[in-house]
Amino acid sequence: MSGLHIPIGTPDGSRTEHAENLLAPNPSAMTLDGTNTWVIGGDEVVVIDPGPEDESHLRRVRDHLGERRVTEILLTHGHFDHSGGARRFAEMVGAPVRALDPRHRLGEEGLADGDVVSVAGLEIHVYGTPGHSFDSLCFWLPQDRAMLTGDTVLGRGTTIIARDGGLADYLRSLDRLRAAAEGLEARALLPGHGPVLPDPIAALDGYIAHRRQRLDQIRAARAPGARTPREIVKIVYADVDRSLWAAAEMSVVAQLDYLDRL
Ligand SMILES: [Zn+2]
């Protein structure tokens, strides 16, 4: 795609024609290289996910923008690694914060499925994609044919179902994104963590297959008798680094909850 740039080694500086990533310095097992702060627009911009409350990162984003005015700050969801710096950044640039969850807004306007945000002659279409969290949104950039996915789809590995999310919703959201990616001929997924994914359909098919496979594994692990989520983690996530087992346990709880409701 014209304008698609994926740097080697770090997501910092990844871009499509009208979207650019400034990586926050908060790497961890959960956040991969750190949180991606996406800047969308031209002579005016929208900033998506200012990241954690990290003064050096927020200043870097502001300085990078130079004279370009920030019209709005949008959040893909309310988790702290995406939203923690929003209030401070809003103060720095004098822009409102829009999010699905009213607790994360600053200003009058919310943000919900079907909304269209305009900036510098571009459109940003809002997709409600609950699952990773109850308030997860994705943003479609028709001009770049790119979908910003927040933590619904990551640039590497798989995401978790957080305590405020749900697997049934998550599976529906993946199916919806898959259909959108196909119908809209998406050319890139721009995730909340990790590198840009240049093959949206393959990435989404991989996510959907992975979820089904995990559910099958959990069904099988559970079959011999009632087991605690921790016992299931030890069996099903044996190949996953131990530092992620607490997160895996959250995902197992979400999957057991889902299976129990079928
Ligand atoms: Zn995150």
Side-chain angles (χ1 to χ4, degrees):
M1 155 164 121
S2 82
L4 178 63
H5 173 68
I6 307 174
I8 308 288
T10 165
D12 192 50
S14 302
R15 58 173 309 138
T16 59
E17 200 174 346
H18 303 100
E20 181 182 11
N21 176 28
L22 294 165
L23 178 68
N26 60 329
S28 73
M30 296 289 288
T31 60
L32 306 178
D33 315 81
T35 301
N36 294 335
T37 295
W38 288 98
V39 175
I40 316 295
D43 46 351
E44 291 191 328
V45 298
V46 162
V47 171
I48 297 178
D49 290 351
E53 188 164 11
D54 179 305
E55 190 73 11
S56 67
H57 173 62
L58 300 177
R59 283 217 195 108
R60 178 181 170 234
V61 175
R62 182 197 58 192
D63 293 348
H64 179 80
L65 295 174
E67 297 299 303
R68 289 180 285 168
R69 190 172 77 92
V70 179
T71 57
E72 295 179 294
I73 297 159
L74 312 183
L75 299 179
T76 59
H77 62 302
H79 289 167
F80 186 75
D81 56 320
H82 301 259
S83 69
R87 190 166 283 270
R88 174 74 184 115
F89 191 67
E91 248 172 53
M92 281 179 171
V93 300
V97 180
R98 297 177 63 183
L100 181 72
D101 184 348
R103 290 173 299 177
H104 290 288
R105 293 176 194 159
L106 208 60
E108 298 298 302
E109 283 194 280
L111 198 62
D113 185 60
D115 285 353
V116 178
V117 176
S118 299
V119 63
L122 305 169
E123 288 180 350
I124 301 171
H125 294 228
V126 181
Y127 279 68
T129 51
H132 165 72
S133 64
F134 79 96
D135 63 340
S136 286
L137 301 172
C138 290
F139 301 115
W140 170 245
L141 310 178
Q143 282 85 358
D144 289 12
R145 294 224 224 124
M147 183 75 86
L148 283 103
T149 55
D151 284 4
T152 300
V153 178
L154 303 181
R156 268 201 312 280
T158 58
T159 195
I160 56 139
I161 309 299
R163 274 179 228 289
D164 62 333
L167 185 57
D169 279 344
Y170 186 64
L171 292 170
R172 270 194 295 276
S173 291
L174 288 181
D175 285 343
R176 186 171 180 219
L177 286 176
R178 170 71 169 77
E182 186 163 26
L184 299 165
E185 296 180 27
R187 289 172 167 173
L189 301 182
L190 315 183
H193 305 281
V196 167
L197 295 163
D199 189 342
I201 301 276
L204 287 161
D205 281 346
Y207 261 63
I208 291 164
H210 174 80
R211 277 294 151 203
R212 298 223 171 97
Q213 188 194 3
R214 282 288 189 227
L215 278 170
D216 287 345
Q217 287 172 328
I218 285 171
R219 274 195 198 96
R222 212 185 181 193
R227 291 185 200 271
T228 65
R230 176 45 58 135
E231 286 168 339
I232 290 174
V233 167
K234 283 184 189 158
I235 298 167
V236 175
Y237 291 79
D239 58 329
V240 168
D241 192 279
R242 266 175 169 267
S243 67
L244 292 168
W245 277 14
E249 195 169 335
M250 259 194 307
S251 276
V252 167
V253 169
Q255 291 174 88
L256 291 173
D257 181 56
Y258 173 78
L259 290 171
D260 287 342
R261 285 178 205 214
L262 287 181

